[in-house]
Amino acid sequence: MDAVSTDKAPKAIGPYSQAVKVGSWLFLSGQIPLDPATGNVVAGGISEQTDRVLKNIEAVLGAKGLNFKHVVKTTIFLTDLSTFTTVNEIYGRYFKEPYPARSTVQVAKLPKEVMVEIEVIANMG
């Protein structure tokens, strides 16, 4: 297992890696809407937060020369499932067919009081 790290995405806020590579698989830790330059949660609502999360994911994928077409599975965590339509619209700007498999769940709380967290699994093959 090899840890993957880039300064183009927020540093881990705990004892975990931004991503780990195992064989041809890349497992990204959940990304929250932190600005990589400041470490602060981005200003705005669910639209701005979702966009920042996906940009952070793009940066971690890019650290291994990958992009969204390499993603095979995503999990979206929302603190309010009523924001799903907005999140889905922004998500669709980043992912193209064939879309990865996906799960979306509502959770009681996320780190730093953010509204959205997304984790992905990508295949480098």
Side-chain angles (χ1 to χ4, degrees):
M1 180 171 79
D2 297 315
V4 176
S5 180
T6 177
D7 59 0
K8 295 180 181 175
K11 293 181 189 216
I13 58 175
Y16 60 89
S17 299
Q18 288 175 331
V20 293
K21 179 185 173 293
V22 179
S24 66
W25 294 96
L26 189 64
F27 299 86
L28 275 69
S29 294
Q31 287 290 316
I32 60 174
L34 298 180
D35 180 327
T38 66
N40 295 326
V41 175
V42 296
I46 192 65
S47 297
E48 293 80 8
Q49 287 199 9
T50 303
D51 190 59
R52 180 74 259 168
V53 165
L54 290 162
K55 286 178 180 171
N56 291 344
I57 289 169
E58 186 173 42
V60 178
L61 290 169
K64 287 311 251 181
L66 305 180
N67 57 46
F68 287 103
K69 72 179 181 181
H70 294 96
V71 175
V72 297
K73 172 72 168 85
T74 67
T75 305
I76 301 172
F77 304 93
L78 299 173
T79 57
D80 183 353
L81 207 51
S82 72
T83 62
F84 177 78
T85 301
T86 301
V87 171
N88 201 45
E89 177 186 320
I90 295 163
Y91 179 98
R93 295 179 197 159
Y94 288 84
F95 290 97
K96 305 299 176 209
E97 291 188 43
Y99 299 115
R102 181 176 81 183
S103 302
T104 304
V105 295
Q106 179 172 311
V107 296
K109 194 172 183 179
L110 289 167
K112 297 191 175 268
E113 306 295 326
V114 301
M115 297 176 238
V116 58
E117 179 174 359
I118 302 175
E119 65 181 24
V120 309
I121 300 170
N123 189 281
M124 302 174 80

